[in-house]
Amino acid sequence: MKDARAALLARHLTGGNQLEGELALLASLSADKQATVFKRLSVLDGYLAKTSPTSADADLAAAQIGVARRQLYRLLAKVSEVGPVRALSPGYRNVERSAPSKDGLPEPIEAIVRQTLFGQPDAKIAQIEAAVREECNRFEDLSFPGQTAIRRRVHALRRLALVPRPKDGVGARIAVDQVCLDLTIHTAGNPRLSIATFIIDRDTRLILGAGLTAQDGVGQGLADAVKDADRRLAGFQRKSLLVAGQITELMWIVPPGLERFADSISSGDLPAGRKPVIDVVGAGPRRHGDAILRLLGDKIGRFRFRRNVELTDEPPLSGEIPVYLDDGQRLLGFTIDSWNDRILSDITQGPKICPKHAKRLDQLAGDLTTILSLIARKVAEEHAAALKQQHMSDSSL
């Protein structure tokens, strides 16, 4: 990590807490709350560094934080219990409030929502609302809970990553989409919200690959996602997974600004028996992020998806302290690992690893590269040409 604050956090990790997890949680806080966490942690760090701290030392540390000595000791215990960010962030709730989005809707409405999602993980919310309305119309004493309540519950269930075992195996139906992420990145000296590109298995909702870039790097994000998919699919070989014999459907949500490359996506270099149906979604100003929200919910880990932000705009910031791009990529990677681990624990078939499926994962990675890399390469070539032209223009001045 380039951020020197990481070393301070690392000194106070507890139990099974990981540095990336603390940093991801920190990045979700406002700048004011982040500053408070580090002010308090710096004081506690200095106090704990003393060989034999006295009561006077405790009183001084407590005064610097603005609490009584007894509260200082409570903060120290809390840091050991839940980690520094949760313990020291003002108003942080370690126990979430009860709410229908978390606890569930009234039965049998909850059952209808779950059954619909279980049968079709990427079902549209309008489709789920229609199923709920139909159920409510059957019973006089069953009231429709409202569109907002249903939407929030659907997103909450999607964040739980509850999925059936795939009938056709991992990799049969794939979506490629991108969305603005609530994670602020240093770029060219200016803070910008990041853009995340995801390659998602539509049946299991496993994230096969991801790329994180700043405002103008959507093409690079696709290239990074393809490379990440190659690495992640190789890692899946250690799991006992049912893997599809080929990609049958691939949906690419074309990001704004790359519409001219829509025709470049092709499976032409694949053998005839492995050519998928390719669905290119290149129309509609708000198309980006739709597949992601339908598959993953409204956030991943601590990072919310900013569906209402145009990728070609200069996104408004959320008040967080920005992180360096490579640190942000690590945080997103850590968050994706946690997401995938939950799904893999549900869909793995036991300890025995099938060599046939390991071979299919290699083939899946190769096919993704064949289909998507041409787009990424064309984007990179155009970007390089634009930089060269800009350099020539600057030199002539």
Side-chain angles (χ1 to χ4, degrees):
M1 288 281 178
K2 291 181 180 179
D3 196 335
R5 302 171 302 171
L8 180 58
L9 285 172
R11 289 200 294 273
H12 299 280
L13 293 178
T14 58
N17 290 346
Q18 293 180 274
L19 177 59
E20 287 84 358
E22 288 294 298
L23 287 167
L25 178 58
L26 181 73
S28 69
L29 302 178
S30 68
D32 288 343
K33 288 188 176 182
Q34 289 189 40
T36 299
V37 167
F38 280 104
K39 177 183 176 182
R40 292 175 173 180
L41 188 57
S42 296
V43 172
L44 296 181
D45 185 66
Y47 173 76
L48 292 173
K50 295 181 181 295
T51 304
S52 300
T54 64
S55 297
D57 292 326
D59 287 337
L60 177 60
Q64 289 173 326
I65 293 177
V67 298
R69 188 201 302 175
R70 182 183 299 179
Q71 290 173 298
L72 175 77
Y73 295 145
R74 286 177 181 171
L75 283 177
L76 288 169
K78 198 173 179 182
V79 168
S80 298
E81 179 185 355
V82 300
V85 178
R86 287 180 174 86
L88 302 178
S89 174
Y92 190 90
R93 290 184 177 272
N94 291 302
V95 178
E96 295 194 22
R97 291 176 177 175
S98 175
S101 63
K102 301 180 180 67
D103 302 332
L105 297 164
E107 291 292 348
I109 295 175
E110 176 75 7
I112 292 295
V113 173
R114 285 178 174 264
Q115 288 168 11
T116 305
L117 285 175
F118 194 78
Q120 187 180 347
D122 58 352
K124 292 184 177 180
I125 291 181
Q127 177 183 341
I128 299 171
E129 286 177 3
V132 171
R133 287 186 185 278
E134 182 178 346
E135 186 71 9
C136 290
N137 289 337
R138 292 177 55 202
F139 302 96
E140 291 184 0
D141 59 345
L142 193 60
S143 300
F144 182 71
Q147 294 178 328
T148 299
I150 292 174
R151 183 181 71 252
R152 288 176 176 172
R153 183 57 181 160
V154 168
H155 284 318
L157 287 172
R158 281 174 169 159
R159 294 197 301 266
L160 292 176
L162 303 176
V163 294
R165 293 195 176 190
K167 296 178 182 178
D168 299 321
V170 173
R173 301 192 316 131
I174 289 173
V176 183
D177 195 6
Q178 55 287 308
V179 72
C180 194
L181 195 66
D182 219 356
L183 175 64
T184 308
I185 297 292
H186 277 296
T187 172
N190 298 310
R192 292 283 185 274
L193 285 180
S194 52
I195 296 172
T197 301
F198 292 103
I199 301 173
I200 309 171
D201 180 70
R202 294 170 65 182
D203 294 319
T204 64
R205 297 189 293 154
L206 280 170
I207 298 174
L208 306 183
L212 187 76
T213 57
Q215 180 185 3
D216 297 324
V218 180
Q220 184 59 48
L222 178 61
D224 290 346
V226 172
K227 291 178 184 177
D228 188 51
D230 189 66
R231 179 185 65 82
R232 288 185 181 278
L233 289 169
F236 289 169
Q237 293 185 16
R238 296 190 293 271
K239 306 288 184 179
S240 178
L241 286 174
L242 175 63
V243 183
Q246 67 177 85
I247 303 171
T248 57
E249 300 175 28
L250 189 144
M251 178 174 64
W252 180 37
I253 313 296
V254 183
L258 297 192
E259 290 89 351
R260 60 192 178 283
F261 297 107
D263 294 336
S264 299
I265 189 168
S266 170
S267 58
D269 292 335
L270 296 180
R274 295 215 308 271
K275 294 181 184 293
V277 174
I278 296 179
D279 180 16
V280 178
V281 182
R286 294 289 184 181
R287 62 186 180 272
H288 65 269
D290 182 63
I292 291 172
L293 266 72
R294 286 167 59 186
L295 290 165
L296 308 184
D298 57 354
K299 65 179 180 178
I300 182 165
R302 295 282 170 181
F303 305 118
R304 288 197 172 275
F305 300 128
R306 301 286 291 272
R307 179 69 175 80
N308 59 335
V309 174
E310 286 289 351
L311 303 187
T312 51
D313 292 343
E314 193 166 292
L317 303 182
S318 304
E320 298 88 351
I321 296 176
V323 300
Y324 291 98
L325 179 58
D326 54 352
D327 290 347
Q329 290 167 337
R330 281 186 59 182
L331 295 182
L332 180 60
F334 170 82
T335 304
I336 290 172
D337 290 341
S338 299
W339 169 271
N340 282 348
D341 285 346
R342 283 188 294 163
I343 296 175
L344 290 169
S345 67
D346 288 337
I347 66 173
T348 48
Q349 300 180 317
K352 186 177 180 181
I353 299 175
C354 177
K356 177 178 71 174
H357 291 163
K359 183 177 180 180
R360 285 181 175 179
L361 285 168
D362 274 338
Q363 178 180 292
L364 173 58
D367 288 355
L368 277 173
T369 300
T370 298
I371 296 168
L372 298 173
S373 286
L374 177 60
I375 304 165
R377 188 165 63 248
K378 284 194 172 185
V379 172
E381 289 172 353
E382 183 175 287
H383 183 62
L387 288 177
K388 183 178 180 181
Q389 181 64 38
Q390 180 65 41
H391 178 72
M392 293 174 62
S393 299
D394 292 343
S395 299
S396 64
L397 294 178

